Amino acid sequence: MNPLTSPLLTDLYQLTMLQGYIDQEMHDISVFEFSVRSMPENRNFFIAAGLESVLEFLEQCHFSQEELEYLVGTGRFSQKLLDYLERFDFSGSVHAMAEGTIFFPHEPIIRITAPLPEAQLIESRVINLLHYQSLIASKAARCVIASDGRADLIDFGLRRTHGAEAGLFAARSTYLAGFIGTSTVLAEALYGIPIFGTMAHSFIEAQKDEKEAFINFAYSNPENVTLLIDTYDTVTGAQKVIETANLLKKKNIPVRGVRLDSGDIAALSKEVRAILDNGGLKDVGIFVSGNMDEYTIEELFAQEAPIGGFGVGTRLDTSADSPYLDSAYKLMEYAGKPRLKKSEGKATLPGRKQVFRRYDDTIMVQDILTIEGVEYEGLPLIREYMMDGKRVSKTLSVHEIRDYTLEQMKTLPANLRKLQKTAPYPVHIAESVMSMKEDIEKKLGTNG
Amino acid sequence: MNPLTSPLLTDLYQLTMLQGYIDQEMHDISVFEFSVRSMPENRNFFIAAGLESVLEFLEQCHFSQEELEYLVGTGRFSQKLLDYLERFDFSGSVHAMAEGTIFFPHEPIIRITAPLPEAQLIESRVINLLHYQSLIASKAARCVIASDGRADLIDFGLRRTHGAEAGLFAARSTYLAGFIGTSTVLAEALYGIPIFGTMAHSFIEAQKDEKEAFINFAYSNPENVTLLIDTYDTVTGAQKVIETANLLKKKNIPVRGVRLDSGDIAALSKEVRAILDNGGLKDVGIFVSGNMDEYTIEELFAQEAPIGGFGVGTRLDTSADSPYLDSAYKLMEYAGKPRLKKSEGKATLPGRKQVFRRYDDTIMVQDILTIEGVEYEGLPLIREYMMDGKRVSKTLSVHEIRDYTLEQMKTLPANLRKLQKTAPYPVHIAESVMSMKEDIEKKLGTNG
């Protein structure tokens, strides 16, 4: 049972609810939408990500013999349900915003239309896939804004991501948002994302001395010489880089950069820059890592730190200032009738929705959240990706998605590009949605 | 290439460093230790978790043909390195604290002793495995303290964990720390962790009305009737539970509980309790969910909310108030010589270490961090789990580890059981460690 693909990576209540649906033969078409309920304190927009992995999940979501045997063994489920699960094959449709699309609270980024038990069973994993990837793409986009083209950004976070899949998704989501690559090797092997790396302190410590470590590393990796200079003392380390570079020049091995990973990065980067410049190494870039995020990037550039690249890790890949989104996957329609919940603070807007985005020249100025079929001026953001369980859209490469995201980012109004909270972007909830909501509420009466 | 087991789930620099080690034939024994550098603002102790998955990873860490072909295809690596990787088989030792052990900053919870390239290659994934599981076990232990035996705690977080593996690890780590189970089905299938579940709002919304939904659910799941009552209005929902229970009584189906998921939980739980009691349902428990964590649990009990169970989800499984630990896996010794780094704020303590824990009666009072072999009074916490690449310890079930953790928790001093920050627990760094550190610093000189 592989957790990455097993349909048992779900909440028990999905199966107990299915038992009810199957007993009552509730196989009519249901519509669920995934959206985020509210904007966290430290965000002004989100970037949609995770659609590709949702489509993959739906295509291969089946119960293996081993999984069925486990379910039988629990004694919890009826034969009728077990028979249903044995035949399970997702037959529904997926409508979604393209990966890389900017979105806001209440706007669905995915809509699943399928017989109720199918759309219900997949809930937990669909949220799990969309939530994390959108969380990280959104955080990474803020780093890209803070850097504003002044430095290369590289995902360095694998080790402190929450597990293997988070490590891999972090590499992909940050690349989509405009990072130039990651340190995670598997992200190149699986997705073709460019990978980068320097050396660790252990490499320096294990050698006779720091300079010998630099030289040995360069001999073994002549194309990729970025030297970590803070193991013992950053300034002394920078001086040794000059000596190393002079030695390597005779062998035609260029030193490409130095890495700083501790201390007062703003002050040290300036000091190191001066040492390198005086030593004739004007082309050697300064790369920094250690507790980086959009705030430190902005602050370092405000202090005019001469930094050409950032390794951004833990705070990015855990979205540390906002480690989750208040996201939900909610029933919008069943058997042709719109549905809603009224729960305090968690009420839903019913119906199948579309989002139209309006622009002033090239800048986005307003979104309209409407019932599908009610047309507005503007660009419709939601389109079909899967029909009757089969993909109806071309699978994009991660590079194509990245290009699209970068185009999206250009449409962002200036105030939303601030790292600090600003006035929310206007998302108008159309009359069609509100009147549908009121209609149902009236029918439900005060008693629900 | 399965991200859960692939040795390519690593940082590029591990491979470029290996290229250097292999070229220089640096195959001497190295010693690395994993520890946490500092205590986050909202924690007073940690719980070690993840050892079992590290041992599994080391046992099966090999390069497949597909992975080797990818590496060849990159053109980055020497034939000598590729040959080494093709034969890769972890041959080292693992010393560790048992899963479930309480630990503090600077104390290693795992020590890897192996030829340098082996111990280096595994770094990224070893951190990735230990960091998240210890993070979540530590957070879950705080929830258990807050509940203090007054309520059952169940992990409900799968959907907003950071990916599939995080979902599974969260279920295991919270169970170890004293939760009674999880909603994640795969955690029962793989680890035998008890699973629990109720129903979602969609189940209610899809039916003719709330009461019919309750009855239909109960007919299909007669052993497991916990009814979600906040879809439309919590108080009305509670009244419908009375009618439902009277109806179900005739079929001998007991209503076990109700679930509240929104609104003012303290006030609503009291109101619902009164309704249920007046309706003759004194045995029906109140289960709550939605934005729960140790703080809300403490607060709800402070308000004397009559709650018998908590579904604790997102904030727990993302460790939202402290979503990462400042953890590291650092070289302590190579080729018989202790090693250290002096980097500002990230300096290491050299040598192979042991931790002795001293008790006053049954309560822990002081830890002593010493060089292995230098004995102190107290209980040594680190022992051998793997030798020459083979396990030398019995694999414990998740239930045995949980029992051990609960015993550990009884040894915690009262002040560390507070949710608020208290005076740090005394960890004495022994003379043997400090003198080794000073020796190396002297040898390194001011120049490093």
Side-chain angles (χ1 to χ4, degrees):
Chain A
M1 295 185 235
N2 181 348
L4 302 181
T5 53
S6 175
L8 296 183
L9 191 75
T10 190
D11 293 295
L12 177 59
Y13 76 4
Q14 311 294 4
L15 296 175
T16 50
M17 287 191 282
L18 249 63
Q19 186 130 303
Y21 295 150
I22 302 293
D23 282 349
Q24 298 168 250
E25 300 189 348
M26 291 176 69
H27 291 277
D28 285 332
I29 294 297
S30 62
V31 178
F32 284 79
E33 287 178 350
F34 174 93
S35 61
V36 178
R37 289 193 191 103
S38 57
M39 187 62 77
E41 201 41 57
N42 306 310
R43 299 289 180 274
N44 290 317
F45 65 92
F46 305 120
I47 299 283
L51 172 60
E52 176 56 31
S53 55
V54 167
L55 296 174
E56 271 172 37
F57 170 66
L58 296 177
E59 285 177 320
Q60 62 72 47
C61 186
H62 299 106
F63 287 80
S64 68
Q65 264 327 106
E66 188 188 13
E67 284 157 348
L68 289 165
E69 279 161 24
Y70 152 74
L71 290 171
V72 171
T74 67
R76 272 194 204 93
F77 307 108
S78 68
Q79 192 56 46
K80 210 168 155 188
L81 176 62
L82 294 166
D83 290 344
Y84 174 83
L85 296 178
E86 183 164 15
R87 293 189 310 271
F88 188 88
D89 183 37
F90 182 76
S91 70
S93 300
V94 177
H95 293 74
M97 290 191 193
E99 285 195 275
T101 302
I102 293 165
F103 75 101
F104 301 94
H106 308 301
E107 298 182 346
I109 61 169
I110 205 164
R111 183 207 308 156
I112 305 282
T113 309
L116 181 56
E118 293 182 30
Q120 184 75 66
L121 182 67
I122 62 172
E123 170 180 21
S124 307
R125 181 61 166 153
V126 166
I127 298 176
N128 179 271
L129 288 167
L130 293 173
H131 169 264
Y132 180 64
Q133 296 182 73
S134 297
L135 177 75
I136 300 306
S138 304
K139 175 83 171 169
R142 291 165 57 83
C143 297
V144 172
I145 287 172
S147 171
D148 199 20
R150 292 172 288 193
D152 292 333
L153 304 183
I154 299 170
D155 162 44
F156 260 31
L158 170 62
R159 62 192 56 200
R160 296 209 197 92
T161 54
H162 293 181
E165 194 178 50
L168 199 58
F169 282 162
R172 185 176 183 276
S173 304
T174 56
Y175 183 67
L176 293 191
F179 275 50
I180 66 161
T182 177
S183 63
T184 303
V185 179
L186 195 59
E188 182 182 75
L190 293 181
Y191 303 134
I193 294 172
I195 54 173
F196 298 90
T198 62
M199 58 174 65
H201 298 99
S202 53
F203 189 87
I204 312 280
E205 293 167 60
Q207 312 263 348
K208 193 170 69 73
D209 63 36
E210 195 174 28
K211 192 172 145 191
E212 185 165 306
F214 289 169
I215 292 167
N216 286 335
F217 185 86
Y219 285 169
S220 291
N221 298 279
E223 307 289 326
N224 180 29
V225 184
T226 296
L227 302 169
L228 175 63
I229 62 173
D230 77 327
T231 305
Y232 304 119
D233 178 81
T234 303
V235 168
T236 320
Q239 285 153 352
K240 287 181 195 158
V241 170
I242 311 280
E243 302 164 31
T244 306
N246 289 334
L247 237 155
L248 293 174
K249 204 180 279 175
K250 294 169 197 158
K251 307 236 175 195
N252 274 321
I253 300 176
V255 174
R256 298 195 186 275
V258 297
R259 174 160 78 104
L260 278 58
D261 186 52
S262 58
D264 178 345
I265 295 284
L268 285 171
S269 62
K270 289 175 195 174
E271 203 170 344
V272 167
R273 184 72 270 155
I275 292 169
L276 296 175
D277 287 351
N278 290 337
L281 299 182
K282 286 189 194 299
D283 291 344
V284 171
I286 295 179
F287 186 85
V288 305
S289 58
N291 295 323
M292 293 295 147
D293 60 16
E294 67 269 43
Y295 308 107
T296 52
I297 293 169
E298 184 176 64
E299 176 61 25
L300 284 166
F301 281 128
Q303 294 183 52
E304 302 186 329
I307 295 171
F310 290 87
V312 192
T314 305
R315 291 185 188 174
L316 166 65
D317 289 359
T318 63
S319 188
D321 64 336
S322 190
Y324 63 87
L325 301 176
D326 185 18
S327 56
Y329 172 89
K330 291 294 168 192
L331 181 68
M332 297 296 159
E333 183 187 311
Y334 176 64
K337 285 188 197 146
R339 312 277 165 158
L340 57 69
K341 63 184 259 198
K342 293 163 62 179
S343 318
E344 193 181 330
K346 297 182 179 180
T348 55
L349 298 168
R352 304 174 190 216
K353 293 178 215 71
Q354 177 58 279
V355 177
F356 287 93
R357 181 157 294 166
R358 299 173 62 182
Y359 296 86
D360 179 1
D361 193 13
T362 61
I363 300 299
M364 50 194 276
V365 292
Q366 188 194 34
D367 284 7
I368 298 156
L369 180 68
T370 175
I371 299 296
E372 194 185 45
V374 182
E375 298 294 319
Y376 279 82
E377 259 182 80
L379 188 69
L381 299 181
I382 295 171
R383 64 181 190 82
E384 194 163 42
Y385 282 84
M386 183 176 269
M387 192 170 61
D388 301 336
K390 304 272 173 278
R391 287 189 199 230
V392 292
S393 67
K394 181 172 157 283
T395 302
L396 298 179
S397 78
V398 75
H399 314 295
E400 289 168 309
I401 300 171
R402 183 174 186 270
D403 289 344
Y404 169 75
T405 312
L406 294 177
E407 287 304 314
Q408 279 281 298
M409 293 296 289
K410 289 182 193 158
T411 69
L412 206 57
N415 72 318
L416 296 191
R417 293 177 56 88
K418 289 181 187 154
L419 298 187
Q420 296 66 37
K421 188 82 168 181
T422 59
Y425 177 80
V427 176
H428 174 68
I429 298 173
E431 169 58 21
S432 55
V433 177
M434 293 315 289
S435 65
M436 187 179 277
K437 183 173 189 294
E438 282 155 25
D439 272 5
I440 310 174
E441 284 175 344
K442 219 173 286 169
K443 278 183 204 145
L444 286 167
T446 49
N447 285 344
Chain B
M1 295 186 236
N2 180 350
L4 302 181
T5 53
S6 175
L8 295 183
L9 190 76
T10 189
D11 293 295
L12 177 59
Y13 77 3
Q14 311 293 4
L15 296 175
T16 50
M17 287 191 282
L18 249 63
Q19 187 130 302
Y21 296 150
I22 302 292
D23 283 349
Q24 298 167 250
E25 300 189 347
M26 291 175 70
H27 291 277
D28 285 331
I29 293 297
S30 63
V31 178
F32 284 79
E33 288 178 350
F34 174 92
S35 61
V36 178
R37 290 193 191 103
S38 58
M39 187 62 77
E41 200 43 56
N42 306 311
R43 299 290 180 273
N44 290 317
F45 65 90
F46 304 120
I47 299 282
L51 172 60
E52 177 56 31
S53 56
V54 167
L55 296 174
E56 270 172 37
F57 170 65
L58 296 177
E59 283 177 319
Q60 62 73 44
C61 185
H62 299 106
F63 286 81
S64 69
Q65 263 330 102
E66 189 188 12
E67 284 157 347
L68 289 165
E69 278 160 26
Y70 153 74
L71 290 171
V72 170
T74 67
R76 274 194 203 93
F77 307 107
S78 68
Q79 192 55 48
K80 210 167 155 187
L81 176 63
L82 295 166
D83 290 345
Y84 174 84
L85 296 178
E86 184 164 13
R87 293 190 309 270
F88 187 88
D89 183 35
F90 182 75
S91 70
S93 300
V94 177
H95 294 74
M97 289 190 192
E99 285 195 275
T101 303
I102 293 164
F103 74 101
F104 300 94
H106 307 303
E107 298 181 346
I109 61 168
I110 205 164
R111 184 207 308 157
I112 305 282
T113 309
L116 180 56
E118 291 182 29
Q120 184 75 67
L121 182 68
I122 62 173
E123 171 180 20
S124 307
R125 181 63 166 151
V126 166
I127 298 176
N128 179 271
L129 288 167
L130 293 173
H131 169 264
Y132 180 64
Q133 296 182 73
S134 297
L135 177 75
I136 299 307
S138 304
K139 175 83 172 168
R142 291 165 58 82
C143 296
V144 172
I145 287 171
S147 170
D148 199 21
R150 292 172 287 191
D152 292 332
L153 304 183
I154 299 170
D155 162 43
F156 260 32
L158 170 62
R159 60 193 56 201
R160 296 210 197 90
T161 54
H162 293 182
E165 194 178 49
L168 200 58
F169 281 162
R172 184 176 184 276
S173 304
T174 56
Y175 183 66
L176 293 190
F179 275 49
I180 65 160
T182 177
S183 62
T184 303
V185 179
L186 195 59
E188 182 182 76
L190 293 181
Y191 304 133
I193 294 172
I195 54 174
F196 299 90
T198 61
M199 60 174 64
H201 298 99
S202 52
F203 189 87
I204 312 281
E205 292 167 62
Q207 312 263 349
K208 193 171 66 78
D209 62 36
E210 196 174 27
K211 192 173 145 191
E212 184 165 306
F214 290 168
I215 292 166
N216 286 335
F217 185 86
Y219 285 169
S220 291
N221 299 279
E223 307 289 325
N224 180 28
V225 184
T226 296
L227 302 168
L228 175 64
I229 62 173
D230 77 327
T231 304
Y232 305 117
D233 178 80
T234 303
V235 169
T236 320
Q239 286 153 352
K240 287 181 194 157
V241 170
I242 311 279
E243 302 163 31
T244 306
N246 289 334
L247 237 154
L248 292 175
K249 203 181 279 174
K250 294 169 197 155
K251 307 234 175 195
N252 273 321
I253 300 176
V255 173
R256 299 195 185 275
V258 297
R259 174 159 79 103
L260 279 57
D261 186 54
S262 59
D264 178 345
I265 296 285
L268 285 171
S269 62
K270 289 175 195 173
E271 203 171 344
V272 167
R273 184 72 272 158
I275 294 169
L276 296 176
D277 287 352
N278 290 337
L281 300 182
K282 285 191 192 300
D283 292 343
V284 171
I286 295 179
F287 186 85
V288 304
S289 57
N291 295 323
M292 293 295 147
D293 60 16
E294 66 269 44
Y295 308 107
T296 52
I297 294 170
E298 185 177 64
E299 177 59 26
L300 285 166
F301 280 128
Q303 293 182 53
E304 301 187 329
I307 294 170
F310 291 87
V312 193
T314 305
R315 291 186 188 172
L316 167 64
D317 289 358
T318 62
S319 188
D321 64 336
S322 189
Y324 62 87
L325 301 176
D326 184 17
S327 56
Y329 173 89
K330 289 296 167 190
L331 182 68
M332 296 296 159
E333 182 187 311
Y334 176 63
K337 284 187 199 149
R339 312 277 164 158
L340 58 70
K341 65 184 260 198
K342 292 163 64 179
S343 318
E344 194 182 328
K346 296 182 179 180
T348 54
L349 297 167
R352 304 174 189 217
K353 293 177 215 74
Q354 177 59 280
V355 177
F356 288 93
R357 181 157 294 166
R358 299 172 63 182
Y359 296 85
D360 178 1
D361 192 13
T362 60
I363 300 299
M364 49 195 277
V365 292
Q366 188 193 32
D367 284 6
I368 298 156
L369 180 67
T370 175
I371 299 298
E372 193 185 47
V374 182
E375 299 292 319
Y376 279 82
E377 259 183 79
L379 187 70
L381 299 181
I382 295 171
R383 65 182 190 79
E384 194 162 42
Y385 282 83
M386 183 176 269
M387 192 170 62
D388 302 335
K390 303 273 172 278
R391 287 189 198 230
V392 293
S393 67
K394 181 172 157 284
T395 301
L396 299 179
S397 77
V398 76
H399 314 294
E400 289 168 308
I401 300 172
R402 183 173 187 270
D403 289 344
Y404 169 75
T405 312
L406 294 178
E407 288 304 313
Q408 279 281 299
M409 294 296 289
K410 290 182 192 159
T411 70
L412 206 57
N415 71 318
L416 297 192
R417 292 176 58 88
K418 290 181 187 154
L419 298 187
Q420 295 67 37
K421 188 83 167 178
T422 59
Y425 177 80
V427 176
H428 174 67
I429 298 173
E431 169 59 22
S432 54
V433 177
M434 293 315 290
S435 65
M436 187 180 277
K437 183 173 189 294
E438 284 156 24
D439 272 6
I440 309 175
E441 283 175 344
K442 220 173 284 168
K443 279 183 204 146
L444 286 167
T446 50
N447 284 342

